Amino acid sequence: MLAGQPLSEMGLRQPNRLRLRVTGSAEQALRSGHPWLFGESIREQNREGQLGEFAVIYDRNDQFLALGVFDPDSPIRVRILHTGKSLAIDDHWWAARLDRALERRRGLFDDQTTGYRCVHGESDGWPGLVLDRYEETLVLKLYTAAWLPRLAQVVPLLARRLNPARLVFRLSRNIQSVAANLFGRADGQVLHGAPVESPVIFLESGIQFEADVVRGQKTGFFLDQRENRRRIGTLARGRRVLNAFSFSSGFSLYAARGGAHSVTDLDISGHALGAGRRNFELNHRDTHVASSPHEQIQAEAFDWLSRNRRRKFDLIILDPPSLARRESERQAALGAYGRLALSAITHLRPGGLLLACCCSAHVTADEFFGVVRRAAARSGRKFKELETTRHPPDHPARFPEAEYLKAIYLIEQR
Ligand code: SAH
């Protein structure tokens, strides 16, 4: 195991500090607040850097420019913590940084919503780190190995400030072997408090959901779609609803509670559909949920949509996983988003409503809205655009690469 990095490091001028000089364009990007420094932008480095240590970046006049955490094995070599004037990163600084993120959420959610994001990575000043709350359970997820050496300090800070029943630790796939081999940490481990005995139940807009915080995708639930789910709850009355890529029936439950005529889940994963059934059971006391017929179809969505043309709906939700996971997949993904929207439209009854979502950061909002609008035009039917949406307030996006989520609502005009 590597020695842990203290969370607080005074004395930025210490002689052996990792010091970097960078290209002019990187300097400009950092100055304007961009949180990433790529390895290819480093012009000078005084020595090799260790995983998770602080790196100080100096500008061309040898003035302090920024400070961040170093990762020798990632193309994003430094994730920036602070830009501007030189300062000491001490315990107070970390506590204040956490408080600022928590303060941003104050008043956003009442006691009917106990699942939401508390810390959203770079855009909250915690690069590559996410903290979600599900009732009394916190889930800390790392997307960069650079935090691993500082966990022993980060976890107590979170526990002190938020006092959870437990804190579950999650790791993105690409850093799981480093975490296991160098730090003895495993995905799904409980780092603080009581063990997880069953799926965690929490509330979103008064609806009960389970989150598989130990094994589930993301941190166990797609918290980022809350505002779109709420909107669907207000649009579903009397409609036959198809929830394509339904995961654990999130949109379906809002639609059912909102008085949908019926709801159909379509997902490739039996595990997701199982969670959806349990979520419907959890909410059976709601008379609308209890009386709305709930059907589930386990199938590949593109394939099912093309083979079952006779099935018609009044409201279709398309929330696929990211179809462009890297830049090289962008063009192909645009084509796929367009085909998916057009295919869904052929299942819409007259006057039907389509919600098309995209969660790929490699596709811009304008590109995505463009392909969906063109698909609607190509269908030969007349649609009105109800609205487009972006990130919810607990998932702020403060730089272009962070803007992954976008959605567009179209309703057919009769
Ligand atoms: N709308 C959901 C989140 C969707 S996540 C919510 O509000 O919670 C994407 C879902 O798509 C996952 O459940 C995954 O199992 C499913 N999926 C992925 N590829 C699929 C495919 N080709 N066909 C059908 N479902 C798919």
Side-chain angles (χ1 to χ4, degrees), residues 217 222 225 229 245-247 251 267-269 272 299-301 319-321:
Q217 296 183 54
F222 289 84
Q225 284 286 31
R229 285 191 287 266
F245 308 92
S246 55
F247 189 57
F251 279 105
D267 202 286
I268 201 166
S269 154
E300 200 288 314
D319 186 22

Side-chain angles (χ1 to χ4, degrees), residues 236-241 255-256 258-263 291-294 314 349:
R237 182 174 303 275
R239 293 184 186 269
R240 292 171 172 78
V241 178
H261 177 279
S262 62
V263 286
S291 63
S292 175
H294 177 216
D314 310 293
R349 286 168 191 264

Side-chain angles (χ1 to χ4, degrees), residues 208-210 221 248 253 275-283:
Q208 292 191 64
F209 286 104
E210 67 168 50
F221 197 75
S248 60
L253 269 155
R277 280 194 297 280
R278 289 192 295 279
N279 285 335
F280 264 83
E281 279 161 26
L282 281 174
N283 295 280

